[in-house]
């Protein structure tokens, strides 16, 4: 995700696909690689069944099916907005047997809490999965387009409400971007979890809710939600979404991608970091991974060792700017 300004008041939050797709294999081929010894723990800050957990368990299975001999275990260390997970890995300096799952809370929690940056301390290795968001409204509600949604918000600032998972979460930041790009005021209502926010939306108590494409499609096909816009560069081609316009098409210049990646602890041997980057890239080229990405309506642009650090730091700057705009940044 990278933010850019295209016109007055318009912001876009998107993955820098052009440079991210630059081949990283030649650079890694020139770097010494060394495999770690012994079992590997991939530390995840979310609970079982959460997106980071599912992604890493899928990745671990693919790797252990022939790419990596070391047994890989996914360990959930929940709590504190992923801080329990990243603090555990930060305390494992140089440990070649632990990896950290990078999800947005790893970036946003330190900014909100006013604590030191995590990405400035760990060893970035790779990013390899992205997920677009869709803005949903009530199936029998008065809005049929994003233009109508925006017009209502302009007419009554704060009257149009968005149910979201948590203050400072992806849906909160997406809400802020839509507000800035459309020059409107929405009311964001945080909940203790994404499922709680969805329950509020399904109960008809708010006008809007952001969901991943896979989550949204389930609600759309069951008649429980109506799609207004996808926050992506271009339309999807799947039957369930091919007729849903992007926000950009409707005059709201916002693109937003959630992303996930992986990092090693501080001081990780560069040879091991290079080895892992190579293995993650190989895993994303397998049919099993491609099938998973297609099933979940996700993207899998790979950016490896040479690009990952700079990429993640840019995302951190973007998160900081957005969290500042909603009054949540402390550093």
């Amino acid at each position: 995700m990278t933010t850019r300004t295209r016109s007055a008041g318009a912001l876009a939050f998107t993955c820098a696909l052009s440079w991210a797709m630059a081949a990283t294999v030649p650079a890694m081929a020139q770097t010494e690689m060394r495999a770690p010894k012994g079992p590997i723990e991939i530390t995840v800050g979310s609970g079982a069944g959460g997106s980071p957990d599912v992604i890493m368990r899928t990745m671990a299975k693919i790797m252990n099916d022939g790419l990596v001999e070391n047994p890989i275990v996914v360990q959930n260390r929940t709590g504190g907005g992923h801080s329990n997970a990243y603090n555990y890995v930060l305390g494992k300096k140089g440990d070649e047997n632990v990896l950290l799952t990078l999800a947005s809370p790893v970036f946003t929690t330190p900014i909100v809490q006013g604590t030191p940056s995590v990405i400035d301390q760990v060893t970035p290795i790779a990013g390899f999965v992205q997920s677009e968001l869709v803005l949903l409204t009530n199936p029998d509600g008065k809005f049929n387009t994003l233009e109508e949604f925006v017009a209502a918000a302009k007419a009554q600032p704060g009257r149009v409400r968005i149910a979201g998972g948590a203050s400072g979460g992806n849906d909160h930041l997406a809400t802020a971007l839509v507000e800035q790009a459309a020059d409107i005021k929405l009311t964001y209502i945080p909940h203790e979890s994404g499922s709680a926010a969805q329950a509020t939306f399904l109960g008809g108590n708010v006008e809007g809710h952001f969901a991943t494409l896979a989550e949204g499609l389930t609600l759309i096909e069951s008649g429980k939600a109506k799609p207004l816009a996808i926050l992506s560069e271009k339309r999807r081609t799947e039957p369930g979404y091919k007729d849903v316009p992007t926000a950009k098409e409707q005059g709201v210049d916002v693109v937003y991608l959630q992303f996930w990646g992986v990092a090693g602890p501080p001081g990780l041997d560069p040879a091991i970091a290079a080895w892992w980057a190579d293995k993650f890239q190989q895993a994303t080229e397998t049919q099993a991974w491609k099938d998973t990405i297609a099933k979940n309506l996700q993207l899998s642009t790979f950016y490896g060792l040479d690009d990952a650090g700079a990429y993640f730091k840019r995302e951190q700057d973007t998160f900081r700017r957005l969290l500042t705009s909603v009054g949540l940044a402390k550093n």
Side-chain angles (χ1 to χ4, degrees):
M1 291 178 287
T2 300
T3 186
R4 63 185 183 275
T5 302
R6 305 186 189 192
S7 58
L11 291 176
F13 201 41
T14 183
C15 189
L17 299 183
S18 59
W19 67 263
M21 292 179 70
T24 57
V25 175
M28 287 190 290
Q30 298 172 11
T31 303
E32 179 186 355
M33 298 185 193
R34 180 173 71 83
K37 298 178 181 179
I40 305 299
E41 174 186 316
I42 299 181
T43 302
V44 177
S46 70
S51 293
D53 175 75
V54 172
I55 288 168
M56 289 305 167
R57 289 184 188 277
T58 301
M59 182 59 75
K61 183 178 186 306
I62 290 172
M63 285 191 168
N64 273 163
D65 279 347
L67 293 177
V68 175
E69 293 183 1
N70 312 64
I72 302 174
V73 175
V74 174
Q75 180 65 52
N76 303 93
R77 299 184 185 276
T78 60
H82 287 227
S83 63
N84 286 345
Y86 64 66
N87 283 329
Y88 173 80
V89 175
L90 288 176
K92 295 286 186 176
K93 184 176 181 179
D95 192 330
E96 62 184 50
N97 299 102
V98 63
L99 296 173
L100 173 66
T101 304
L102 296 179
S104 56
V106 175
F107 299 80
T108 59
T109 297
I111 296 171
V112 172
Q113 294 181 346
T115 55
S117 161
V118 173
I119 202 63
D120 290 345
Q121 300 177 71
V122 295
T123 304
I125 291 173
F128 46 86
V129 56
Q130 303 85 31
S131 183
E132 296 159 311
L133 296 180
V134 59
L135 175 59
L136 303 172
T137 194
N138 312 113
D140 55 354
K142 59 182 179 180
F143 306 127
N144 292 304
T145 65
L146 182 59
E147 291 102 321
E148 294 175 356
F149 187 87
V150 167
K154 283 184 179 291
Q156 293 182 288
R159 174 63 184 82
V160 178
R161 300 159 296 181
I162 302 285
S167 293
N170 283 292
D171 44 16
H172 195 178
L173 300 184
T175 300
L177 283 167
V178 170
E179 287 182 314
Q180 294 172 31
D183 192 23
I184 57 176
K185 176 60 180 174
L186 302 168
T187 294
Y188 177 80
I189 304 175
H191 291 68
E192 62 182 14
S193 66
S195 59
Q198 188 176 109
T200 294
F201 168 72
L202 295 176
N205 299 305
V206 296
E207 292 71 38
H209 178 60
F210 286 104
T212 65
L213 297 191
E215 293 167 341
L217 188 59
T218 299
L219 297 177
I220 294 165
E221 291 182 337
S222 64
K224 296 179 180 179
K226 182 194 308 180
L228 292 179
I230 296 177
L231 305 188
S232 61
E233 283 284 359
K234 58 184 180 180
R235 290 197 189 195
R236 301 288 301 205
T237 59
E238 296 85 359
Y241 280 117
K242 65 183 179 64
D243 295 324
V244 180
T246 66
K248 290 168 55 180
E249 288 180 78
Q250 301 179 76
V252 180
D253 197 0
V254 173
V255 175
Y256 189 100
L257 292 179
Q258 292 179 255
F259 67 93
W260 293 271
V262 68
L268 182 65
D269 184 341
I272 289 181
W275 183 87
W276 273 120
D278 180 57
K279 294 303 180 184
F280 276 101
Q281 184 168 27
Q282 289 183 48
T284 63
E285 294 169 351
T286 64
Q287 191 60 49
W289 178 257
K290 292 176 182 178
D291 290 344
T292 297
I293 290 298
K295 177 182 177 181
N296 293 324
L297 301 177
Q298 293 172 322
L299 304 172
S300 187
T301 299
F302 184 86
Y303 40 95
L305 196 61
D306 291 344
D307 295 326
Y311 175 82
F312 289 133
K313 287 183 180 180
R314 279 195 292 272
E315 300 318 308
Q316 177 176 257
D317 290 342
T318 299
F319 282 128
R320 181 174 288 109
R321 181 167 60 256
L322 290 173
L323 289 167
T324 298
S325 75
V326 296
L328 292 177
K330 290 185 180 179
N331 68 8

